[in-house]
Amino acid sequence: MRHLLLRTALGAFAVCTLSAPAYSQTIEQGTLDAPVAFDAGVLDVQSGGLDPSLWQGTSASVAQGLIETAPLNSTDPLVQDMLRAVLLSSGVPPKGTEEDVRLYESAKLEAISQIADTETLNTLVSRSGAAGRAPMVQAELALRGADVATACNLSDTITENRASLFWSRLRTLCHLRRDEFAAAELTTDLLRSDGYENDAYYALVSVMSGASKKLPNATDVNDPITQALYDEASVKLDAARPGQALDPQADPDLRLAALYTFSNQLSDAQISKVFSDLAFDLENPVLGPSFDYNSASADPSAQGTAQLFLLSKATGDPESAAKSFAALLERAPDIRTRQRFISLMSGSIQSWPAQVQARSDLGLFARAAVQRGDVGMLQGLYDALPNGVERARIALAADALGNGFLLGQMGSDIDERLKAPENDRAKRDALLALALGAQLSEAAAETLPGAKFLSDGNDMTAGDRAVLSANAKARTVAQLILRVAPRLDSSDLSASDMAYIVEALQQAGLTQYSGRLAAMDFLGPL
């Protein structure tokens, strides 16, 4: 396996003091520079955030437009991390007219409300002074605490920016709670005419107004206002809602369904408590059932599923824990729920030996390692595997994540596959390796020029690439991330587009993202 070039970037501020000659007694008077605005976030470079100059070279109006089109509901962990870094990093905000800055700040707050949990929002409030005391933030916190009445009372007092998206949506909710249906309809019509698109929101308004009895998919409910509407509409229709997962008197199947549906709204402790309840007979907890992997995996009921979770959390038998977790994920109904469980179990997964993970579900645990940036675990998986295709894929992913391609060789594995008649995957791998800084091999130099690549017809245009290239060269990192995130979230990218995005991130110094992106792509065949 190629030696991994692992680098740690250490940044420091140097303060230099120049002493004037002792004989000089002249004192020059000047003016202080105007204070520079600074957004207090919850992330810095050490904690997964971006450099304070992240918005350098980006105007407030451009930033607003990019934030408003960002895929905030993405289920891709990398896209989620990239957007969190942009929105939650401390730094100098973009510049613009007073109105442009106001619109940018409003768009950013709206976006933060969708991606940040309550703890993060509270931390932002404590660090941001006056901004944290803004009515919008206080209304957000009230909604997250299920205190809709307080949020509505705040809405009633708003005079400035009353027509903004946030306050218009909240006002609709408040009108509906008070049975003020005509006012709610008027506000909703104004939102539509202003171009606001949110099918889940409009469907819930229809339920609350009595025009419909069909709830939208709960996974489309992604911000506090829409969640509050969903809770109110669920009660109106006596439908599943988050609280039912926590209700010990509810039917076990209903509790499990509610947990799956609303897993992103439940804390780690709440999910663990629900599974703990479901795993045992609450009427006779002392004499509850004994179980192991074989019995739990053979039991498709809510109890069997909960037992798989508890086995995953148990210590002492990593083989059983890893197999149980893989079986639990197979029962999860969608990728959002699976990602939630992987996040919850991250600490446990890291403790399981690489040999156990390789035997249990290589693809699952290799991707989990890439997701948390764990090069060491990938190396362990590599060592645990015999020579073959799987081992070669892990080697590529480890090199990508560990920056091992930079100025290094492309590798004999890729070169050999490039010479084969069926070499589409090899050509894709070669493009990614070159994007990460690998040296051009003879096989690649002979094969790639004029090579045809598979495409779905949605490749980036020359203009798209020109803008990304300009962002990368200027290191306008926030703008670059917000431009590539929708592409990464939309569909499978062609080999050329994937390589171009990887190279742009690499060139901009965002190696923590380019490496993860390429590593996940290398693991595609597993």
Side-chain angles (χ1 to χ4, degrees):
M1 180 180 184
R2 183 186 301 108
H3 173 68
L4 297 179
L5 178 61
L6 305 179
R7 301 187 176 189
T8 303
L10 302 177
F13 292 99
V15 179
C16 300
T17 304
L18 300 178
S19 300
Y23 57 79
S24 174
Q25 301 296 318
T26 303
I27 299 177
E28 295 185 4
Q29 294 183 339
T31 58
L32 294 174
D33 291 337
V36 177
F38 194 83
D39 284 343
V42 296
L43 298 177
D44 57 22
V45 174
Q46 286 71 36
S47 59
L50 301 173
D51 186 88
S53 62
L54 71 158
W55 290 110
Q56 177 180 305
T58 303
S59 69
S61 59
V62 169
Q64 174 207 346
L66 291 172
I67 289 172
E68 288 179 344
T69 58
L72 302 176
N73 303 326
S74 175
T75 58
D76 186 325
L78 176 59
V79 173
Q80 292 172 358
D81 287 349
M82 293 169 74
L83 295 178
R84 284 177 60 84
V86 169
L87 296 169
L88 299 178
S89 290
S90 302
V92 179
K95 295 180 175 60
T97 66
E98 183 177 347
E99 177 65 7
D100 285 345
V101 170
R102 183 188 69 76
L103 292 173
Y104 152 75
E105 291 174 343
S106 178
K108 184 178 177 182
L109 273 177
E110 281 270 344
I112 288 174
S113 76
Q114 292 193 42
I115 67 165
D117 56 27
T118 302
E119 181 181 356
T120 300
L121 199 57
N122 275 316
T123 302
L124 275 173
V125 168
S126 67
R127 294 184 179 182
S128 57
R133 295 190 295 273
M136 181 186 294
V137 177
Q138 297 303 315
E140 285 278 356
L141 289 171
L143 289 169
R144 289 170 181 269
D147 188 358
V148 182
T150 295
C152 287
N153 289 338
L154 281 167
S155 176
D156 292 340
T157 66
I158 296 301
T159 55
E160 185 179 357
N161 300 329
R162 185 174 174 80
S164 71
L165 180 59
F166 177 86
W167 293 117
S168 295
R169 293 172 63 237
L170 178 56
R171 197 158 57 250
T172 301
L173 167 62
C174 300
H175 285 318
L176 291 168
R177 293 184 83 241
R178 298 164 180 165
D179 294 336
E180 298 167 352
F181 299 120
E185 182 178 357
L186 175 60
T187 308
T188 303
D189 288 343
L190 289 173
L191 285 168
R192 289 185 190 276
S193 64
D194 286 342
Y196 177 58
E197 297 180 3
N198 187 332
D199 292 341
Y201 177 83
Y202 291 124
L204 290 168
V205 170
S206 295
V207 171
M208 288 292 290
S209 63
S212 171
K213 292 186 177 182
K214 184 179 180 180
L215 288 172
N217 191 325
T219 58
D220 295 330
V221 177
N222 47 51
D223 67 88
I225 294 176
T226 313
Q227 287 170 5
L229 269 172
Y230 192 96
D231 290 344
E232 298 267 351
S234 298
V235 172
K236 187 181 182 74
L237 297 181
D238 193 25
R241 45 197 178 274
Q244 289 178 326
L246 307 173
D247 182 2
Q249 304 304 317
D251 177 80
D253 289 335
L254 178 60
R255 293 190 70 185
L256 180 61
L259 184 150
Y260 283 152
T261 302
F262 304 104
S263 60
N264 281 349
Q265 298 181 39
L266 300 175
S267 67
D268 289 357
Q270 287 174 323
I271 292 175
S272 297
K273 178 64 168 62
V274 174
F275 276 133
S276 181
D277 287 352
L278 293 174
F280 298 99
D281 183 355
L282 293 180
E283 295 181 358
N284 196 1
V286 177
L287 300 177
S290 61
F291 53 88
D292 58 17
Y293 169 74
N294 290 330
S295 63
S297 60
D299 180 0
S301 71
Q303 185 176 63
T305 301
Q307 290 170 358
L308 287 173
F309 177 84
L310 294 192
L311 289 167
S312 303
K313 297 283 286 184
T315 58
D317 188 352
E319 189 88 43
S320 172
K323 289 194 302 182
S324 297
F325 185 62
L328 174 67
L329 289 191
E330 288 181 1
R331 299 188 183 189
D334 52 53
I335 188 172
R336 189 181 297 273
T337 307
R338 289 193 289 274
Q339 292 294 350
R340 179 69 183 90
F341 290 169
I342 290 172
S343 174
L344 187 157
M345 290 289 295
S346 179
S348 297
I349 294 172
Q350 292 181 66
S351 70
W352 299 334
Q355 297 89 338
V356 168
Q357 296 191 32
R359 286 195 299 268
S360 299
D361 192 322
L362 178 62
L364 164 65
F365 292 117
R367 288 179 177 84
V370 171
Q371 186 173 321
R372 62 178 184 271
D374 192 343
V375 179
M377 181 57 73
L378 289 177
Q379 291 175 313
L381 292 172
Y382 175 88
D383 292 337
L385 293 168
N387 287 328
V389 174
E390 291 181 335
R391 197 177 200 222
R393 303 316 301 180
I394 297 296
L396 291 172
D399 282 346
L401 194 63
N403 214 15
F405 281 107
L406 185 62
L407 302 180
Q409 299 298 315
M410 187 173 293
S412 59
D413 166 64
I414 296 177
D415 283 346
E416 290 173 4
R417 289 186 290 115
L418 281 173
K419 299 172 184 177
E422 298 294 329
N423 63 356
D424 285 336
R425 182 68 238 191
K427 290 186 295 185
R428 186 180 183 100
D429 293 341
L431 289 185
L432 288 173
L434 292 171
L436 291 169
Q439 297 177 17
L440 181 66
S441 67
E442 288 187 9
E446 293 175 1
T447 306
L448 295 181
K452 302 294 184 181
F453 291 91
L454 299 176
S455 171
D456 61 3
N458 294 317
D459 286 6
M460 290 189 291
T461 66
D464 294 330
R465 295 189 174 202
V467 172
L468 293 188
S469 178
N471 287 157
K473 290 175 183 176
R475 296 208 168 192
T476 51
V477 294
Q479 187 176 159
L480 175 61
I481 287 173
L482 291 173
R483 290 190 187 281
V484 302
R487 290 231 165 239
L488 296 178
D489 187 61
S490 60
S491 62
D492 293 333
L493 293 175
S494 67
S496 56
D497 278 2
M498 177 64 77
Y500 200 89
I501 290 175
V502 167
E503 185 172 12
L505 293 171
Q506 188 89 350
Q507 186 177 11
L510 298 171
T511 55
Q512 70 272 39
Y513 302 134
S514 59
R516 273 178 65 185
L517 180 58
M520 280 295 193
D521 200 274
F522 282 135
L523 294 177
L526 293 184

